[in-house]
Amino acid sequence: MRRDADSLNESYRAVPGSVPLARRAVTAFAVTAGATGERLEAVRLVVSEAVSNAVKHAYPGRPGRVEVSSAIASGELWLLVADDGCGLRAGRSSAGSGLGLALIALLSDGLTIAKRSSGGIELHIRFKLAGRLHPNAGERGGQDRASDRQSRGSAASATAPASPRFTT
């Protein structure tokens, strides 16, 4: 395990008992980063869902590992959950409800799913932290733009108007 003030990097066996371990580690890191209330609960649930997905689906019938990293950048908490398993496959049957990734997307401020060259996947998950200034806030007199507040990768982004920065 590697942990400092600005990052957390841990590796877990892909077994059910690793889910609460990862959840506790990332939750503790999120608290030190300033996450509270509903935002902290969202982080906690998202970590559980992401690690559970890797444990359930990444390594059918064989052992494996789940990598969990978290860092603070530009007033945001970034979470990476990665495995070297079989990856996502269309049409694969599952005992789960199939809502884990949708829930992660809904609760976070951004979700990207990337294929790994090793065969697994990476979930890149982003959470805005309350009280953190936009890196250019001082240049704008402390004001943030409406487009900076708009959630990305969530239900809000699907229903909110396009950013005023977009031009044709």
Side-chain angles (χ1 to χ4, degrees):
M1 174 176 99
R2 195 187 111 226
R3 182 177 181 171
D4 58 38
D6 293 324
S7 67
L8 167 76
N9 296 292
E10 297 196 15
S11 179
Y12 300 95
R13 291 183 358 198
V15 296
S18 295
V19 176
L21 298 174
R23 181 177 51 242
R24 277 193 294 271
V26 174
T27 299
F29 181 78
V31 166
T32 63
T36 61
E38 288 182 12
R39 178 58 33 162
L40 184 60
E41 290 304 315
V43 169
R44 183 177 287 135
L45 182 54
V46 163
V47 171
S48 293
E49 286 292 328
V51 175
S52 292
N53 279 347
V55 166
K56 272 188 195 177
H57 306 294
Y59 304 101
R62 64 184 175 98
R65 306 237 16 117
V66 180
E67 306 297 325
V68 177
S69 299
S70 193
I72 305 302
S74 300
E76 296 176 332
L77 174 73
W78 283 81
L79 175 63
L80 169 75
V81 178
D83 65 70
D84 291 322
C86 62
L88 293 174
R89 291 189 220 140
R92 185 173 65 184
S93 64
S94 169
S97 65
L99 297 176
L101 292 175
L103 184 61
I104 292 169
L106 182 65
L107 293 173
S108 67
D109 292 306
L111 169 64
T112 304
I113 303 169
K115 289 171 113 179
R116 300 183 89 188
S117 61
S118 59
I121 64 166
E122 294 180 353
L123 300 181
H124 300 253
I125 308 162
R126 180 178 58 84
F127 295 92
K128 292 180 184 176
L129 296 174
R132 301 282 180 153
L133 290 177
H134 186 282
N136 298 323
E139 297 169 19
R140 295 190 307 251
Q143 301 296 316
D144 60 349
R145 296 184 302 242
S147 61
D148 293 334
R149 291 188 309 266
Q150 180 177 342
S151 295
R152 305 282 184 235
S154 66
S157 68
T159 59
S163 168
R165 293 181 285 175
F166 180 78
T167 59
T168 56

